[in-house]
Amino acid sequence: MSPETLERIQALAEKRKKLLGELRTKPSGVTWCQRHAQIADEVVAVLFDDLVATGGDLPPIALIATGGYGRRELSPLSDIDITVVPLDESAPGMDAAIRNLFRDLHSAFVTSLGLEVGYAYRLISDAPGLDGKTRTGLLDMRLVAGSIDLFNELDEALVQSFHAGEFILTKLKEREEMFAKFHDTPLVAEPHLKEGAGGLRCFQCSNWLGEAIGDRPARPTHAYDRIILARNILHLVAGRPYDLLTRGRQQESAEIMGQDVYEMMSDIAKAGIELHDWYRRATEKLKETRFLLSPDVLSVMGEVRLVGQPNGGTAAVGVAIATQIGLHVADLPLVASKQVDGPAALYAFSTGETTLRNLDRCKLLGQLLPELDACRTLMPTDSVHVYTIFEHTMRVVRNLDSIDPNSFYGEIKAGLNDLEPLYLAALLHDVGKITEDRPHSVVGAEIARDVCARWELAEEVCQTVEWLVLEHLSMSRVIGLRDIMNPLTIEEFAAAVHDTDRLGLLTLLTWADASAVSSNTWTQAQDSFLRELYVRTSDYLKGHAEVVVDATVHRQRLLRQLKSVEQDEESVKSFVESLPAHYLTSTPPNVIRLHMEFATKASGGTPTVELFHRPEIGATELTVCAKDKAGLLSVLLGILYAFDLSILSIRASTTMTEEPVALDVFTVSFGGRPVPPATSQQVSKSVMDVLEGRKTIEEVLKARGKDPTRNQKVFSYAYHEGAPGILEIRSPRGRGMPYRFSRLLSQQGWNIVSARVGQWAGSAAASFYLLGPKGKPISKAAIDEVLGSISK
């Protein structure tokens, strides 16, 4: 910047300082802002002259004012938004010239005038890819210095690449967000003069919406000038670009304007009402005119119309935009071409259930996704689902739409980069049920692969959608059949998931799917288990948790943590060393302390039965500690069966001591809620009666109308060898299955170290973690010999 230029800038800074003084003595609205903008124009012109004089033989450049500066509505501390457009960015010296220009703009406005400056660098070729916010600022652009031809070229490029529907939707969403953030009525005691309802944005947005549908912008009204005036004074009083007129700023503002504070605020509210009405009328007019929603898709008097037979994806986007704007989609078929812009269709589908219902109403959904349409009247084969496959699918999408941003699932959703694969997977997750002779998740994954190929989606998207459909039942199986407190379970599941993005997508799909089955399918306990599985797996994938299977390591850690317990150190060490590895890896120290007391009493011949109610998961934890004996777990399961309690999880442990002590923890519920007090007392008494020999399990079962000798006849099973091995059982719904199988397994002399039990989709499932005599593994052949002969 030359000395002459610097001197001219300083003179303009003094001119602005004088103008600020006038505002305090002669308050003014739009007129003052225009005079302020004129000073900014002079600064830009001076800097442009300096650039031309020192930049050499540079190609044409345009310096364009945008936003409020473009409208000449510069309040005292408004930002100066400038866009620089070069004809040829590759010209010699251009890069250095632009850098010098930005440096001088910053020096002039920030250092000399005390204003923030925002500058953008645009090429004419950038126009098609500009987002709604950038386009909004350019709607109010004007040339301040440089080439008029470049300015006109940019203007033409913006017009040619303008999509009214998308722009309108962006503006409406922005307004709703600001109303939610600040206030949705102008009748407030502390108005936000820019973004709140009745603020300047309401009038500005009414003009932008009007321009999008071909109307000429309205000139500022008296009400608009009144709010601008209040904003000018607020900037002056606050000494910073502040737009919330708080009570603390109102009195000083009123004094400058020579008004009583209540009179001033009443005037502002009246002006706000008028500006908000401008916005409201602009939104209503959208239903009374004709404009493009997307290429070849029109809004005509508030209804969607196609021009010819457009691409199916383009048509879907038009319907999606119309839906979100609030336009009417008639029940008349809209026929698109067979060609589908897959990414466009994927976007449209991801906008939610309301769009999908409208796409279905006008028959576009069936044209784009006939695989889902084929499931419209397909009935579920189980007794739990209350809707057809099509309707269940729509309600899965509804659940995804309705996730509270402030909830656990909302945080997961907010952390995901791309939700589009999730929505397509939700639409396809059950379409495989059209084929009955193969697992529907496998068939559905094949269909998903075909759909993604037909739509020519990116390979990464295809893989994610196919994987989600294939694995959409995996998390339900894990929380229902596996011990999620066992680190090895987390390691195995994490290996199947691979990364946190897939984990988040699968968690949301699992919750949305299970919750859409019926009104009472998804329980608080299942929700708690799913959250626990997500958190543990996420920590593992992020490297915040490690899988340690060496029991010695866990014992050493626990001993360090338990040193503060006022008990004999050797007794604590002996108890910890007697515990099995699976117990050590999944039981917190404070619980171990309590269990040590129970075990000490049990060793002396006094069993403990304790119930702890957990209303947050709708369940009760039943802890039983007693001297171990063959078939004890089966006996306890029989008592729970006798009282019709639903078993959510089981943790069975036995101390490795001369006289083993059983420490079994059951998580149970009664009708999806904690066990009632009267039933709790009866269960406790029955357990103690059996443990102390006053009754047999057969007597307890018979007294409650249950057959203690009945065998499970209909079931299927799978066995995973290991130490312990995992036996997974599937059977028809019924609370007696865990008891019957535990009795059968105990009769073989096998030890059940832990178990999981669950019921969903019309069937019951259990997972038993088994060890043979003396802790030896059990072979698959041994399992097949016992179960293979009686399974059907």
Side-chain angles (χ1 to χ4, degrees):
M1 191 184 303
S2 67
E4 294 80 5
T5 298
L6 182 59
E7 184 178 345
R8 293 173 67 185
I9 295 297
Q10 292 299 327
L12 290 170
E14 288 299 317
K15 185 176 180 181
R16 177 178 177 271
K17 185 176 180 180
K18 181 179 179 181
L19 185 64
L20 287 172
E22 289 183 17
L23 180 61
R24 187 174 290 274
T25 57
K26 298 178 182 178
S28 176
V30 173
T31 300
W32 188 93
C33 291
Q34 291 171 344
R35 294 172 64 194
H36 192 204
Q38 180 58 40
I39 293 175
D41 287 355
E42 293 177 33
V43 171
V44 173
V46 166
L47 295 178
F48 181 75
D49 290 343
D50 189 74
L51 175 68
V52 171
T54 60
D57 188 20
L58 291 174
I61 297 175
L63 303 188
I64 299 171
T66 62
Y69 179 32
R71 294 188 299 274
R72 293 188 174 88
E73 292 173 3
L74 279 185
S75 289
L77 293 169
S78 294
D79 291 350
I80 307 295
D81 293 319
I82 298 173
T83 293
V84 178
V85 181
L87 175 63
D88 182 5
E89 66 171 339
S90 63
M94 179 61 75
D95 185 64
I98 295 299
R99 284 202 304 269
N100 290 337
L101 175 62
F102 285 167
R103 181 199 62 204
D104 291 347
L105 284 169
H106 184 274
S107 175
F109 282 111
V110 178
T111 304
S112 299
L113 275 72
L115 294 172
E116 289 298 321
V117 61
Y119 26 72
Y121 182 77
R122 304 285 179 209
L123 302 177
I124 305 298
S125 58
D126 291 340
L130 296 178
D131 59 35
K133 184 175 182 180
T134 303
R135 284 183 178 275
T136 302
L138 293 171
L139 276 180
D140 296 317
M141 69 179 186
R142 61 186 177 84
L143 182 66
V144 180
S147 172
I148 185 64
D149 291 335
L150 273 178
F151 176 85
N152 289 336
E153 280 188 51
L154 177 61
D155 186 49
E156 180 62 23
L158 290 170
V159 170
Q160 293 300 322
S161 60
F162 185 77
H163 299 292
E166 184 179 347
F167 177 81
I168 289 169
L169 179 59
T170 299
K171 293 299 104 183
L172 295 179
K173 285 184 175 180
E174 285 177 0
R175 286 286 76 221
E176 291 304 313
E177 289 172 2
M178 291 300 102
F179 292 161
K181 182 177 181 179
F182 298 109
H183 49 85
D184 60 2
T185 171
L187 304 179
V188 291
E190 294 185 328
H192 194 280
L193 300 174
K194 182 179 179 181
E195 298 287 2
L200 299 172
R201 277 285 189 260
C202 281
F203 181 81
Q204 293 162 6
C205 193
S206 71
N207 270 340
W208 297 330
L209 294 176
E211 287 187 72
I213 61 176
D215 288 350
R216 296 184 63 181
R219 296 178 63 82
T221 65
H222 175 74
Y224 188 78
D225 187 78
R226 185 64 185 80
I227 301 296
I228 284 276
L229 169 60
R231 187 182 189 227
N232 289 346
I233 299 303
L234 178 58
H235 279 204
L236 194 67
V237 168
R240 57 194 178 102
Y242 197 63
D243 295 313
L244 181 63
L245 186 52
T246 61
R247 286 184 173 87
R249 304 290 187 188
Q250 290 172 12
Q251 183 61 51
E252 188 175 354
S253 296
E255 290 174 0
I256 291 175
M257 286 193 277
Q259 281 187 290
D260 172 80
V261 66
Y262 297 107
E263 178 188 11
M264 178 191 74
M265 294 308 299
S266 179
D267 286 348
I268 290 173
K270 291 174 184 177
I273 291 172
E274 182 180 320
L275 298 193
H276 196 50
D277 283 345
W278 274 91
Y279 173 71
R280 179 180 53 79
R281 288 193 297 269
T283 59
E284 291 173 352
K285 192 171 183 181
L286 296 175
K287 301 176 183 179
E288 303 169 357
T289 187
R290 177 189 181 101
F291 61 93
L292 274 176
L293 290 162
S294 65
D296 301 319
V297 183
L298 284 171
S299 171
V300 181
M301 300 301 290
E303 290 195 359
V304 178
R305 295 286 185 270
L306 302 187
V307 179
Q309 288 190 352
N311 178 287
T314 300
V317 169
V319 172
I321 292 173
T323 300
Q324 295 172 88
I325 289 176
L327 305 180
H328 178 62
V329 179
D331 292 335
L332 300 174
L334 300 178
V335 181
S337 70
K338 292 183 179 180
Q339 183 182 4
V340 177
D341 180 343
L346 182 60
Y347 159 76
F349 284 10
S350 70
T351 60
E353 184 197 7
T354 307
T355 293
L356 290 167
R357 296 286 187 185
N358 278 338
L359 287 169
D360 188 40
R361 181 173 293 114
C362 66
K363 311 305 180 188
L364 276 174
L365 181 59
Q367 295 175 55
L368 291 167
L369 209 58
E371 295 86 350
L372 177 60
D373 198 46
C375 299
R376 183 177 302 277
T377 58
L378 183 63
M379 293 295 167
T381 57
D382 57 71
S383 60
V384 181
H385 281 76
V386 299
Y387 305 107
T388 68
I389 304 307
F390 179 92
E391 185 60 28
H392 163 74
T393 298
M394 287 298 194
R395 290 170 186 261
V396 172
V397 174
R398 179 184 299 178
N399 286 339
L400 293 176
D401 292 344
S402 64
I403 292 175
D404 182 353
N406 298 315
S407 68
F408 174 80
Y409 298 110
E411 291 180 4
I412 295 176
K413 188 176 181 181
L416 294 169
N417 294 325
D418 186 6
L419 294 173
E420 291 182 357
L422 173 62
Y423 275 83
L424 184 55
L427 290 173
L428 296 173
H429 80 285
D430 270 357
V431 295
K433 290 183 177 180
I434 200 75
T435 301
E436 296 182 5
D437 59 348
R438 297 170 63 205
H440 77 274
S441 58
V442 175
V443 177
E446 294 170 357
I447 294 174
R449 188 186 313 127
D450 291 341
V451 170
C452 289
R454 186 172 76 231
W455 286 9
E456 298 182 343
L457 299 178
E459 181 60 27
E460 183 179 357
V461 173
C462 296
Q463 291 177 1
T464 301
V465 173
E466 181 182 349
W467 181 84
L468 285 170
V469 174
L470 180 65
E471 302 292 342
H472 77 271
L473 297 176
S474 294
M475 291 190 87
S476 291
R477 290 195 186 104
V478 171
I479 65 175
L481 295 175
R482 295 299 181 90
D483 183 0
I484 60 175
M485 305 302 288
N486 189 327
L488 290 176
T489 299
I490 302 303
E491 181 182 39
E492 179 184 339
F493 182 63
V497 172
H498 298 301
D499 61 60
T500 54
D501 278 347
R502 280 192 170 185
L503 173 64
L505 293 169
L506 187 59
T507 301
L508 296 183
L509 181 58
T510 300
W511 170 81
D513 181 24
S515 301
V517 170
S518 68
S519 60
N520 57 2
T521 302
W522 190 248
T523 66
Q524 291 174 295
Q526 286 173 303
D527 197 73
S528 176
F529 294 150
L530 182 64
R531 294 179 184 217
E532 187 72 26
L533 178 58
Y534 171 83
V535 171
R536 286 176 174 270
T537 307
S538 178
D539 286 345
Y540 178 81
L541 289 169
K542 293 175 181 177
H544 298 160
E546 59 177 331
V547 174
V548 180
V549 295
D550 187 347
T552 303
V553 175
H554 284 287
R555 289 190 178 98
Q556 291 173 348
R557 289 180 178 177
L558 282 168
L559 285 172
R560 290 195 297 269
Q561 293 172 307
L562 293 169
K563 278 184 178 180
S564 62
V565 181
E566 295 180 3
Q567 290 171 309
D568 178 64
E569 188 172 332
E570 284 302 314
S571 297
V572 173
K573 182 178 180 181
S574 176
F575 179 67
V576 170
E577 290 180 346
S578 74
L579 298 170
H582 73 270
Y583 177 94
L584 295 170
T585 60
S586 56
T587 309
N590 61 322
V591 176
I592 291 178
R593 292 168 184 165
L594 182 62
H595 287 175
M596 182 176 174
E597 296 177 12
F598 293 167
T600 301
K601 291 170 60 178
S603 296
T606 303
T608 297
V609 179
E610 182 185 77
L611 287 94
F612 176 70
H613 300 298
R614 298 186 61 189
E616 77 278 6
I617 66 170
T620 296
E621 285 188 354
L622 168 66
T623 301
V624 179
C625 188
K627 286 186 177 181
D628 192 29
K629 61 180 180 179
L632 176 60
L633 180 61
S634 176
V635 167
L636 298 175
L637 288 171
I639 294 173
L640 300 179
Y641 170 42
F643 286 90
D644 293 316
L645 299 183
S646 298
I647 303 168
L648 305 176
S649 68
I650 307 167
R651 185 170 300 281
S653 302
T654 304
T655 61
M656 295 174 287
T657 54
E658 187 174 342
E659 291 189 56
V661 171
L663 188 59
D664 299 338
V665 181
F666 305 84
T667 304
V668 298
S669 68
F670 186 83
R673 59 185 186 278
V675 181
T679 305
S680 296
Q681 292 177 5
Q682 291 177 297
V683 170
S684 295
K685 184 177 184 305
S686 294
V687 172
M688 292 300 292
D689 284 345
V690 173
L691 291 177
E692 295 178 344
R694 290 185 291 274
K695 290 183 180 180
T696 65
I697 184 58
E698 290 77 14
E699 289 173 332
V700 173
L701 285 165
K702 287 179 179 179
R704 301 288 299 182
K706 303 292 194 300
D707 182 358
T709 61
R710 177 186 170 192
N711 291 321
Q712 190 76 31
K713 294 295 185 182
V714 181
F715 67 93
S716 61
Y717 72 93
Y719 183 66
H720 309 275
E721 290 185 340
I726 304 172
L727 174 63
E728 296 180 357
I729 305 288
R730 284 292 184 89
S731 72
R733 289 176 68 90
R735 295 188 179 91
M737 183 267 281
Y739 161 67
R740 298 185 192 109
F741 273 101
S742 64
R743 184 186 64 184
L744 176 64
L745 298 172
S746 297
Q747 289 170 351
Q748 315 309 312
W750 297 338
N751 183 30
I752 302 173
V753 298
S754 66
R756 299 281 291 181
V757 179
Q759 298 193 40
W760 70 85
S763 65
S767 179
F768 296 97
Y769 289 67
L770 301 174
L771 288 173
K774 298 182 180 180
K776 293 183 178 180
I778 303 171
S779 68
K780 187 175 186 302
I783 294 290
D784 290 341
E785 183 179 352
V786 173
L787 300 185
S789 61
I790 60 175
S791 66
K792 292 186 179 180

